[in-house]
Amino acid sequence: MGSSCQNHQNINGLLKWGAVKNLELWFLNNPIERDAGTAGLGDSGAGFKCKLFPQKNSRPTVAVLYVATIPTARPALGAGSMAHLVEVLVSKDFGKHHFDVNEGVQFVGRPQLGGFDRTYFTALSYFHPLGGKWGYTEKLRDLAV
């Protein structure tokens, strides 16, 4: 990404289109990106989310997500090369309690060296409605290089 996470700011855009049952097409863009005093258009992306199995009795919902990042930003603002994200998404509701466990790998291109660096990660989240339009969410994301 950019040169300094401390000074990094952006606005993310995500358009999801339900193409057919159990398949979403994703189009992503960071229309405004700022990093260490440099600002402009960020990277773009495209991908899909496909539900493989819906939740049924004790079986959780299982889906797969793929996103390709397209380097449309200037090198100071974006990844500078193609990146690919593949994620397995597992969700389960227990009454009003909703749990998500996501396992993924991201392949980020190395513009000067060729090839890809890999990053594996786990993301966990929990949601519970509190009343009316309010709810409680807790997210934990663990990145491993």
Side-chain angles (χ1 to χ4, degrees), residues 86-128:
V86 179
E87 204 169 338
V88 175
L89 314 165
V90 179
S91 301
K92 181 73 173 142
D93 292 325
F94 297 95
K96 293 185 177 184
H97 302 274
H98 179 82
F99 295 91
D100 290 319
V101 178
N102 304 336
E103 291 289 333
V105 60
Q106 185 171 26
F107 300 94
V108 180
R110 296 181 287 195
Q112 309 304 324
L113 305 171
F116 292 88
D117 287 327
R118 291 184 309 268
T119 302
Y120 299 94
F121 61 89
T122 300
L124 307 171
S125 66
Y126 166 78
F127 171 80
H128 187 275

Side-chain angles (χ1 to χ4, degrees), residues 7 29 36 42 49 58 63 69-70 77 88 92 110 120-121 132:
N7 296 319
N29 182 259
K49 180 174 141 184
S58 64
T69 299
I70 304 159
L77 294 175
V88 175
K92 181 73 173 142
R110 296 181 287 195
Y120 299 94
F121 61 89

Side-chain angles (χ1 to χ4, degrees), residues 4-11 30 32-36 38-40 77:
S4 171
C5 289
Q6 185 177 10
N7 296 319
H8 184 85
Q9 297 174 329
N10 66 12
I11 294 177
N30 294 345
I32 299 172
E33 190 96 23
R34 185 179 103 31
D35 201 353
T38 302
L77 294 175

Side-chain angles (χ1 to χ4, degrees), residues 6-24:
Q6 185 177 10
N7 296 319
H8 184 85
Q9 297 174 329
N10 66 12
I11 294 177
N12 299 296
L14 170 60
L15 174 65
K16 297 179 187 181
W17 179 52
V20 294
K21 184 178 180 179
N22 299 326
L23 177 65
E24 295 176 353

